[in-house]
Amino acid sequence: MLYFSLQNNQHRVSFEQAVVQGLAPDKGLYFPDHIPALEKDLVDFLDNYDDLDIAYRAIHPFIGDEIPMAKLQQIIHDTLNFPFPLHPVQKDIYTLELFHGPTLAFKDVGARFMAGCLGYFRRNDARPVTVLVATSGDTGGAVAYGFHHVPGVRVVILYPSGKVSTLQEKQLTTLNGNITALEIQGTFDDCQRMVKTAFLDQELQLHSLLTSANSINVARWLPQMFYYLLAAKQVKVMGADPNIVFSVPSGNFGNICAGVMAAAMGLSVKHFVASTNVNDTVPRFMLNGQYDPRPATPTLSNAMDVADPSNFVRILQLFANSLPDLQQKMSSYSYTDQQTVAAMEQVWKEQHYMLDPHGAVGYLGLQQYLQHNPGKATGIFLETAHPVKFADTAPKDLQKAITIPERVQNLYKLQKQAVLLPAEYDALKEWMMQH
Ligand SMILES: *Cc1c(COP(=O)(O)O)cnc(C)c1O
């Protein structure tokens, strides 16, 4: 499989080059040069296949022989070594729990898969590579845990001081080893600006070999299709209605784009709902075809505070830039924090199920779509993080009811280790040159 830049379809690279570079030199996102079809027997009889086999058959065409079969199987095994259960919430509505991984968010899947691929591609290189990443919370933890102990790779994470949740900070700052957390006295935008400047700094590049683990990397984006396939398998096993509607809480639109890709490959999906918070660039676009990003507004579902979602161009590409075709397959709605909290309260009161603010936005989008489009369907909203990750900002009455999963309980006792730096590029550069 070759990948082309969405800025210039003449620029084509291998899977390895796309993974190592992240972004094309012209700043375009990489996109596969054809959409492989899933085998008919696989789509028709998903319930006859083992989870790891489903994942292998789906991803293998995107990688070809660039990673040997046994190695790719091992990467998939390491990526999917936790469950993705469908949990019933109310009649015909299920949540797909994507928070059973090490950092309690769906980003674990993409980060672990990418770490496996990059570790393989760098296996014969003596020079260590530095993964430099800015985070508003979830990405940093997933990348840190994904790359922990991967030989030849070190990870440097910039996070805004005081602006990530307690649990997120513990995840970022307690691994040590090949992971370093830089606590920046500024905002997420400052962190991002510092990282971007580092990637343009020739002098720094001579000193350290830098790469990014950004969500636009094909090795983070594509494996997210796994859980749509595994959800469809569970629907089949349960004997529920096969008309599946997926509602995906969306920020940078990478997650939903992987689902749309799975559908383009032949997975049967009735409809997608892209649910957002008040950062509603895509819902507005879906109404009038005007792509008009406004500055991002902070919300309770802060992993989705994205004004200009990078992966949306990939979704457009999957529909050959046709808005009517896109509207046929995808709807998009936005919700305020007030609506989000009301949904969390309601689902807790009526179903005794605890949503996190991102999942709550997904739940609201699913409800709205099903109300406007009655008919047989199995509705699935993706629960992208465990509620404990956002417990700090949950309503007081819910806070008390949030349980802390056993596997993160000891994190609260560990000592934070971070390097405090001012929000200035020179400070980052000086630290990088010394380490
Ligand atoms: C990153 C994230 C999202 C948004 O996912 P995208 O792929 O950027 O659309 C949603 N929920 C949580 C909890 C996240 O961490």
Side-chain angles (χ1 to χ4, degrees):
M1 175 75 76
L2 291 178
Y3 292 79
F4 65 92
S5 160
L6 285 176
Q7 300 276 5
N8 166 14
N9 64 15
Q10 299 303 310
H11 176 79
R12 276 160 205 258
V13 299
S14 64
F15 177 70
E16 173 171 352
Q17 287 170 303
V19 173
V20 173
Q21 291 174 15
L23 210 58
D26 59 16
K27 308 269 181 267
L29 270 65
Y30 282 119
F31 196 86
D33 75 348
H34 66 278
I35 310 294
L38 295 166
E39 298 145 68
K40 184 161 171 13
D41 192 70
L42 179 72
V43 216
D44 290 347
F45 303 103
L46 269 173
D47 50 334
N48 285 348
Y49 290 80
D50 170 71
D51 289 1
L52 299 181
D53 194 23
I54 293 172
Y56 179 82
R57 285 166 192 262
I59 202 84
H60 175 252
F62 292 98
I63 297 168
D65 56 8
E66 292 185 53
I67 299 179
M69 181 173 174
K71 179 67 198 174
L72 182 57
Q73 284 171 336
Q74 188 203 323
I75 294 173
I76 291 170
H77 175 271
D78 295 345
T79 302
L80 299 181
N81 71 348
F82 48 89
F84 301 86
L86 260 190
H87 184 96
V89 173
Q90 58 201 59
K91 190 177 176 319
D92 299 330
I93 292 194
Y94 298 81
T95 178
L96 181 65
E97 295 183 342
L98 301 178
F99 53 73
H100 295 279
T103 72
L104 315 184
F106 78 94
K107 289 188 173 73
D108 281 326
V109 171
R112 288 153 76 85
F113 190 83
M114 181 182 166
C117 294
L118 195 63
Y120 175 75
F121 291 138
R122 302 287 312 161
R123 69 199 179 284
N124 294 326
D125 253 294
R127 215 177 144 203
V129 59
T130 300
V131 172
L132 187 63
V133 64
T135 185
S136 60
D138 277 351
T139 298
V143 168
Y145 276 73
F147 283 89
H148 196 210
H149 298 318
V150 173
V153 182
R154 76 163 179 160
V155 178
V156 177
I157 301 164
L158 281 70
Y159 76 95
S161 181
K163 294 191 176 63
V164 301
S165 80
T166 310
L167 181 59
Q168 285 173 331
E169 184 168 47
K170 289 288 184 190
Q171 290 175 334
L172 294 170
T173 59
T174 57
L175 280 180
N176 305 317
N178 62 333
I179 314 293
T180 305
L182 304 181
E183 178 178 3
I184 305 300
Q185 293 165 307
T187 61
F188 170 60
D189 287 328
D190 291 323
C191 298
Q192 227 170 2
R193 177 179 45 77
M194 290 162 75
V195 166
K196 280 187 181 155
T197 312
F199 281 109
L200 299 173
D201 186 332
Q202 302 289 336
E203 196 188 351
L204 184 62
Q205 305 274 340
L206 286 178
H207 177 265
S208 4
L209 193 59
L210 294 183
T211 188
S212 92
N214 197 288
S215 71
I216 46 97
N217 195 297
V218 293
R220 272 193 63 189
W221 167 46
L222 292 169
Q224 299 178 120
M225 73 172 74
F226 296 162
Y227 35 73
Y228 295 89
L229 290 152
L230 300 184
K233 172 180 164 179
Q234 292 180 73
V235 167
K236 186 118 187 169
V237 170
M238 291 186 312
D241 191 279
N243 293 292
I244 303 177
V245 177
F246 281 112
S247 172
V248 187
S250 297
N252 235 340
F253 282 67
N255 197 2
I256 191 167
C257 186
V260 173
M261 173 62 94
M265 292 165 71
L267 179 70
S268 171
V269 177
K270 183 181 178 203
H271 202 73
F272 288 96
V273 183
S275 304
T276 75
N277 59 32
V278 292
N279 295 290
D280 62 349
T281 305
V282 172
R284 283 185 287 115
F285 173 85
M286 295 295 286
L287 291 178
N288 60 16
Q290 304 284 322
Y291 191 82
D292 174 27
R294 298 171 186 159
T297 306
T299 73
L300 291 177
S301 48
N302 61 20
M304 312 199 295
D305 295 348
V306 180
D308 185 4
S310 344
N311 282 290
F312 193 60
V313 288
R314 284 182 170 144
I315 295 185
L316 290 174
Q317 179 71 24
L318 281 163
F319 290 95
N321 290 301
S322 158
L323 180 59
D325 288 356
L326 175 59
Q327 285 165 330
Q328 281 270 313
K329 198 72 191 170
M330 188 180 107
S331 305
S332 191
Y333 310 116
S334 82
Y335 301 95
T336 62
D337 276 352
Q338 230 176 353
Q339 291 171 302
T340 305
V341 169
M344 290 164 71
E345 300 267 16
Q346 184 210 331
V347 172
W348 175 247
K349 206 167 113 215
E350 290 171 9
Q351 273 81 32
H352 227 67
Y353 187 80
M354 188 69 70
L355 298 172
D356 98 295
H358 305 79
V361 168
Y363 170 82
L364 286 164
L366 183 60
Q367 292 286 5
Q368 184 161 347
Y369 175 80
L370 294 176
Q371 267 161 26
H372 293 177
N373 302 272
K376 280 197 176 162
T378 296
I380 299 176
F381 65 96
L382 275 49
E383 184 39 292
T384 46
H386 191 286
V388 75
K389 284 197 103 165
F390 302 94
D392 300 348
T393 50
K396 285 280 174 289
D397 56 321
L398 294 186
Q399 254 176 30
K400 285 187 294 236
I402 296 176
T403 49
I404 304 177
E406 206 172 319
R407 65 193 182 288
V408 297
Q409 277 173 10
N410 74 322
L411 268 184
Y412 289 93
K413 295 181 215 123
L414 298 179
Q415 191 67 36
K416 153 183 164 184
Q417 305 242 18
V419 180
L420 192 66
L421 289 182
E424 284 155 21
Y425 177 66
D426 287 345
L428 172 65
K429 181 169 182 175
E430 193 184 321
W431 186 88
M432 297 279 292
M433 296 298 274
Q434 284 166 5
H435 293 85

